[in-house]
Amino acid sequence: NYGKLGGTADPDAVIEALFASGEQGAWYDPSDLSTMYLDRAGTTQVTADGQPVGLILDKSKGLVLGSELASNGDFASGTSPWTSDAGITLSNVSSQLVQTASSGGWLKAWNRVSGVTSGKTYKIEIDVSGGSLTTSRYLNVGTNAGGYNIFQLAIANDFTGKITCYAVAQANYFDIGTECFFSIGNTVILDNFSIKELAGNHATAPSDAARPLKTSTTAADWINYDAVDDVLNSTFPSSLGSSCTVCRANVGAAPTILTAQTIGTSYADSTDHAGLIIVNRAITTQETTDVTAWLNAKAGI
């Protein structure tokens, strides 16, 4: 059973309790597919074995979303605060932002969103439709007036729907917008723009080549590193200190619980696991019992 929880139907509660007093760290659970994404920007969820993991979300803060930071995100009040290159005319049609090209070439429209905190992760959503473009559109995320120094996402020219991605702030604002190769008269339509902080310390691969794989057996789901260059990097808001506990579910084997670990503002993980927990304090005897049971269950033993 799960110790003091008496075999509760919610075994994850033993891990949630480790962070109940505001502790820093991370909790990564490869059995929860909703937290894993193929790409580092988090646009496409992992759905099957053998797929790469570019981003895994940290569950230690409950995956709670913060307040809405987008101004006029439903475009009910004109086109502000969006701006654009000289070759695009912005208009509001039926509470949607319509970008119409008055000249050809690569042109951008963007919105500067303030009130973010450097180093924290934000969930970005926007509906995209319209256009008769012959090339891909792009969603740019950066800090350079519509550019993409954080990342750029390709959107098929005929795509209609919601784009969702995650970005780590590099300043106290984001510039988020679209970039397209227009012909005169082409349009792109935006709606339902949202940006909210996603609490937690989420882990990303440094490159596509360094992504581990999602792997499973009948008993366990795990992150499978290639032991060459695969790695998932976590960044913390401050140093975790010298009293950290690192708990790892080892597939088909006893778990590892390391105490008195020193962890700074980052943690690079490259060891296979079916669950990884990092908390910036020592854990009690009872917590060790509870966590061990959780790790064993995740590892299939």
Side-chain angles (χ1 to χ4, degrees):
N1 67 51
Y2 288 89
K4 63 182 177 183
L5 295 178
T8 174
D10 180 19
D12 285 357
V14 302
I15 313 304
E16 294 165 0
L18 298 179
F19 301 93
S21 297
E23 291 89 345
Q24 278 296 324
W27 167 24
Y28 306 118
D29 182 0
S31 70
D32 186 348
L33 293 184
S34 70
T35 67
M36 295 190 294
Y37 294 84
L38 301 177
D39 56 319
R40 289 171 288 151
T43 63
T44 306
Q45 283 191 336
V46 169
T47 59
D49 278 357
Q51 292 181 335
V53 180
L55 167 68
I56 184 168
L57 301 181
D58 165 26
K59 298 169 65 172
S60 69
K61 301 300 179 185
L63 298 175
V64 175
L65 288 172
S67 59
E68 181 63 71
L69 298 176
S71 175
N72 191 31
D74 60 0
F75 299 105
S77 304
T79 63
S80 178
W82 287 74
T83 188
S84 67
D85 290 340
I88 297 178
T89 299
L90 300 181
S91 58
N92 186 299
V93 179
S94 301
S95 294
Q96 294 179 313
L97 180 72
V98 180
Q99 308 168 30
T100 304
S102 56
S103 63
W106 285 104
L107 300 170
K108 302 187 293 291
W110 69 91
N111 174 12
R112 175 159 290 185
V113 179
S114 300
V116 307
T117 301
S118 181
K120 291 190 175 183
T121 300
Y122 293 82
K123 183 177 184 179
I124 301 165
E125 294 182 307
I126 192 166
D127 292 343
V128 180
S129 62
S132 54
L133 307 176
T134 57
T135 61
S136 293
R137 297 165 283 182
Y138 293 92
L139 178 68
N140 291 347
V141 179
T143 56
N144 51 354
Y148 52 91
N149 60 313
I150 298 178
F151 60 77
Q152 183 181 66
L153 299 178
I155 308 168
N157 63 301
D158 59 350
F159 175 83
T160 294
K162 184 178 295 295
I163 302 294
T164 299
C165 60
Y166 300 87
V168 178
Q170 296 182 359
N172 61 357
Y173 64 91
F174 282 111
D175 286 332
I176 299 172
T178 55
E179 183 172 4
C180 311
F181 190 86
F182 286 98
S183 296
I184 295 175
N186 282 162
T187 61
V188 169
I189 301 170
L190 305 180
D191 201 359
N192 300 316
F193 173 55
S194 172
I195 177 167
K196 299 177 180 180
E197 180 188 343
L198 180 66
N201 302 307
H202 316 293
T204 57
S207 68
D208 285 349
R211 293 176 295 174
L213 300 180
K214 186 271 179 185
T215 306
S216 71
T217 64
T218 55
D221 297 274
W222 78 90
I223 300 292
N224 187 352
Y225 294 94
D226 66 2
V228 178
D229 59 358
D230 287 357
V231 65
L232 291 173
N233 294 318
S234 308
T235 302
F236 307 111
S238 60
S239 176
L240 297 190
S242 59
S243 300
C244 299
T245 304
V246 179
C247 312
R248 187 181 301 271
N250 299 310
V251 180
T256 303
I257 298 180
L258 302 176
T259 61
Q261 299 297 292
T262 298
I263 299 175
T265 57
S266 64
Y267 185 87
D269 185 61
S270 57
T271 302
D272 295 354
H273 70 81
L276 177 63
I277 303 153
I278 303 166
V279 61
N280 64 338
R281 64 172 174 86
I283 63 176
T284 67
T285 300
Q286 183 62 65
E287 287 173 331
T288 300
T289 298
D290 294 337
V291 170
T292 298
W294 186 91
L295 295 170
N296 283 334
K298 292 296 178 179
I301 61 173

